[in-house]
């Protein structure tokens, strides 16, 4: 009992699914995704078969509609299900069973399908489609905006508790950890969409810092340091581990005084990260003498 959207970005080919519900841990039961093949949302009295076996069928070459037809034919209670399927080429299909609790329905747009049951009113799913198709930016952000539009149109009439977003690539590299772009969920919150939005911002910031940290220890600290400094004005909430990584990168780039200032900030708030920096030296990830020079006195 929830509302969801499956969608594709025609420019990047990325596919995504997002969902929110009053139910606990909706991300554990509604969204399914397989890089290079498609995404599925299965809800109402959700049957996981539609998700897991549905992805297998998409991988086997079935169209979205063929997936729904095949699985509903072996489902003893298809009237209780509400399902949306999106294939890698933009093939869309959706189904709302006659036993889904009002307000229930779905709407297919050009690049998305929104569906809802136990909604406050029948404006919820059209609002999601309209929001998605009139938005721009990364797919995950557009999906989040669509969820917010569904909430503003009425949402789940019982309230809200959990939400999730998954985004996958259209082609596979053989590295599933790379082909899954976003996989975030909020299992229990009074405002799950806001919490999910915070996680999405944190994920992007975290990935950027980690990427440039790895670039620095792999031999290009000057470029990595420059890129991190360009990000700094957009990153007002630097977390302790990220500040440590920034300090290490700055030190490797030759800015030891600035690195020492950053670690000095950590000395009073999160001193355990000073020891983490020292252990980078012991592990050979950076010169041990550089680490000792940037550590605050007495650390």
């Amino acid at each position: 009992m929830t509302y969801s959207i499956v969608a594709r970005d025609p420019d990047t080919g990325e596919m995504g699914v997002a969902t929110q519900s009053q139910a606990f841990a909706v991300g554990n039961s509604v969204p399914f995704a397989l890089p290079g093949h498609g995404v599925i949302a299965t809800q109402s009295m959700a049957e996981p078969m539609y998700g897991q076996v549905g992805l297998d069928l998409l991988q086997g070459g079935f169209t979205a509609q063929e997936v729904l037809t095949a699985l509903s034919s072996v489902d003893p209670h298809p009237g209780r299900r509400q399902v949306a399927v999106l294939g890698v080429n933009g093939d869309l299909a959706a189904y709302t069973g006659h036993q889904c609790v009002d307000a229930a329905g779905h709407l297919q747009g050009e690049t998305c399908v929104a569906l809802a049951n136990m909604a406050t009113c029948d404006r919820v799913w059209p609002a999601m489609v309209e929001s998605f198709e009139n938005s721009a930016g990364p797919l995950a952000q557009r999906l989040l905006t669509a969820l917010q539009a569904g909430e503003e149109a009425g949402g789940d009439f019982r309230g809200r508790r959990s939400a999730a977003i998954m985004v996958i690539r259209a082609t596979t590299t053989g590295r599933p950890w790379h082909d899954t772009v976003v996989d975030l969920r909020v299992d229990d919150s009074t405002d799950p969409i806001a919490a999910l939005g915070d996680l999405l911002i944190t994920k992007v910031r975290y990935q950027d810092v980690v990427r440039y940290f790895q670039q620095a220890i792999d031999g290009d600290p000057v470029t990595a340091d420059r890129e991190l400094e360009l990000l700094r004005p957009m990153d007002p909430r630097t977390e302790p581990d990220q500040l440590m990584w920034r300090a290490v990168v700055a030190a490797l780039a030759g800015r030891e005084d600035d690195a020492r200032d950053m670690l000095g900030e950590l000395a009073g708030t999160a001193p355990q990260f000073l020891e983490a920096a020292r252990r980078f030296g012991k592990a050979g990830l950076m010169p041990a003498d550089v680490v000792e020079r940037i550590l605050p006195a007495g650390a």
Side-chain angles (χ1 to χ4, degrees):
M1 288 87 173
T2 185
Y3 59 93
S4 304
I5 182 169
V6 302
R8 178 176 179 268
D9 184 331
D11 295 328
T12 65
E14 290 180 347
M15 300 166 286
V17 52
T19 181
Q20 179 177 254
S21 179
Q22 187 276 334
F24 174 75
V26 69
N28 189 50
S29 59
V30 170
F32 289 80
L34 182 63
H37 298 287
V39 295
I40 295 173
T42 172
Q43 57 190 48
S44 187
M45 296 184 183
E47 169 52 65
M49 171 187 72
Y50 285 88
Q52 193 57 62
V53 179
L55 292 177
D56 291 342
L57 294 178
L58 287 175
Q59 188 173 20
F62 279 54
T63 68
Q65 186 57 57
E66 287 170 345
V67 168
L68 286 182
T69 300
L71 295 181
S72 61
S73 71
V74 297
D75 183 354
H77 303 291
R80 301 175 184 177
R81 318 301 181 204
Q82 190 175 44
V83 186
V85 182
L86 168 62
V88 68
N89 294 319
D91 182 26
L92 288 160
Y95 167 77
T96 299
H98 69 280
Q99 290 182 302
C100 293
V101 179
D102 288 339
H106 64 268
L107 178 65
Q108 180 173 327
E110 291 187 14
T111 57
C112 68
V113 171
L115 59 165
N117 65 88
M118 277 201 174
T120 301
C121 63
D122 60 7
R123 296 189 301 275
V124 171
W125 50 98
M128 296 170 70
V129 171
E130 180 181 5
S131 171
F132 181 82
E133 298 204 330
N134 287 284
S135 63
L139 181 56
Q141 185 59 53
R142 296 176 67 192
L143 291 169
L144 184 68
T145 301
L147 287 185
Q148 186 60 51
E151 179 66 24
E152 291 173 357
D156 185 328
F157 78 80
R158 301 166 301 166
R160 54 193 180 182
R161 187 173 185 181
S162 62
I165 290 181
M166 299 179 73
V167 174
I168 57 172
R169 301 189 192 280
T171 56
T172 59
T173 63
R175 298 175 294 167
W177 58 92
H178 176 74
D179 299 334
T180 298
V181 180
V182 176
D183 185 2
L184 296 173
R185 49 189 286 183
V186 175
D187 288 341
D188 194 5
S189 171
T190 57
D191 193 352
I193 291 180
L196 196 60
D198 289 342
L199 288 178
L200 190 57
I201 293 171
T202 299
K203 173 185 170 57
V204 173
R205 182 173 63 243
Y206 193 90
Q207 285 183 322
D208 284 341
V209 176
V210 170
R211 181 172 67 253
Y212 293 127
F213 169 74
Q214 291 177 334
Q215 182 179 4
I217 65 175
D218 286 342
D220 189 8
V222 173
T223 301
D225 185 50
R226 182 176 64 248
E227 294 298 327
L228 283 176
E229 286 301 296
L230 290 174
L231 290 175
R232 186 182 294 275
M234 298 178 287
D235 186 14
R237 299 183 303 168
T238 300
E239 297 168 9
D241 55 347
Q242 295 179 40
L243 188 57
M244 178 201 65
W245 288 328
R246 287 179 183 274
V248 169
V249 173
L252 290 173
R255 295 194 301 118
E256 293 187 7
D257 288 343
D258 292 326
R260 191 176 303 107
D261 289 342
M262 294 181 208
L263 293 184
E265 290 183 38
L266 291 174
T269 58
Q272 67 271 27
F273 287 98
L274 302 182
E275 176 60 24
R278 177 177 281 118
R279 293 186 186 189
F280 282 139
K282 292 179 179 178
L285 295 174
M286 63 182 299
D289 62 322
V290 172
V291 176
E292 292 305 321
R293 285 200 300 270
I294 65 175
L295 286 172

